[in-house]
């Protein structure tokens, strides 16, 4: 589903038997620097989350992105392959991010949301970041004029 230029994206995987705890550890190793790099590299990514459920036997990946699905998947493979390989190696039938069958694998695990909404439906990541920069600059001008 999409709202304006942004699409929802949901994948559900089966975790390899006995690897749920190990995967939970991998996902729990939050690295703010790595997450900032991912956001910078995948410039169309609004947000992303990983959820283990069903007693750590299944994994959900959900995100919102701007633009074309093929470009989004290609960006993950080209720009942050180690992130996806490091996580999805714990799921059944994962071929590897560089495998030519990766898009088929993604399609096989993709689920369209039953409902999807956004607070700012017409804004892309690029536009939102620009608006924040403009607002900061404007606030600095206001602050400078107050002294």
């Amino acid at each position: 589903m999409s709202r304006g230029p942004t699409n929802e994206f949901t994948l559900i995987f089966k975790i390899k038997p006995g690897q749920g705890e190990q995967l939970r550890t991998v996902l729990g190793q939050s690295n703010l620097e790595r997450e900032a790099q991912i956001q910078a590299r995948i410039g169309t990514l609004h947000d992303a989350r990983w959820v283990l459920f069903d007693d750590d036997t299944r994994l959900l990946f959900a995100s919102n992105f701007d633009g074309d699905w093929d470009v989004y998947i290609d960006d993950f493979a080209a720009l942050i392959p180690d992130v996806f390989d490091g996580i999805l190696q714990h799921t059944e039938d994962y071929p590897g991010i560089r495998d030519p069958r990766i898009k088929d694998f993604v399609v096989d695990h993709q689920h369209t949301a039953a409902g999807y909404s956004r607070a700012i439906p017409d804004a892309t990541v690029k536009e939102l970041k620009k608006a924040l920069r403009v607002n900061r600059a404007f606030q600095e001008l206001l602050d400078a004029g107050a002294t």
Side-chain angles (χ1 to χ4, degrees):
M1 296 182 82
S2 63
R3 294 290 177 264
T6 303
N7 306 284
E8 61 85 19
F9 184 65
T10 305
L11 301 172
I12 298 175
F13 307 98
K14 290 182 181 176
I15 298 171
K16 290 178 182 174
Q19 294 197 22
E21 186 175 329
Q22 184 180 5
L23 180 54
R24 185 172 289 281
T25 300
V26 169
L27 291 171
Q29 296 170 343
S30 179
N31 180 327
L32 295 178
E33 183 177 318
R34 181 188 71 204
E35 292 170 18
Q37 288 175 344
I38 291 170
Q39 288 288 339
R41 289 180 183 168
I42 310 291
T44 60
L45 178 65
H46 284 262
D47 61 72
R49 59 216 154 274
W50 296 95
V51 180
L52 287 150
F53 63 105
D54 285 347
D55 295 321
D56 292 354
T57 61
R58 298 200 307 159
L59 174 68
L60 175 133
F61 174 75
S63 69
N64 300 304
F65 69 95
D66 299 325
D68 182 72
W69 183 92
D70 281 303
V71 172
Y72 183 61
I73 303 304
D74 290 344
D75 282 350
F76 275 101
L79 304 172
I80 56 167
D82 54 324
V83 172
F84 262 64
D85 277 344
I87 294 168
L88 294 181
Q89 68 178 326
H90 300 283
T91 64
E92 293 182 357
D93 303 319
Y94 179 61
I97 196 74
R98 291 185 178 91
D99 189 290
R101 299 168 295 158
I102 189 62
K103 288 185 181 178
D104 292 332
F105 174 80
V106 170
V107 168
D108 289 346
H109 292 84
Q110 189 169 351
H111 299 267
T112 302
Y116 175 57
S117 65
R118 295 194 61 232
I120 307 172
D122 296 329
T124 65
V125 171
K126 185 176 180 179
E127 292 166 339
L128 291 169
K129 286 181 177 181
K130 180 178 180 180
L132 289 171
R133 286 192 309 273
V134 168
N135 183 54
R136 277 192 285 273
F138 181 65
Q139 295 302 322
E140 288 175 14
L141 284 174
L142 290 176
D143 292 345
T147 57

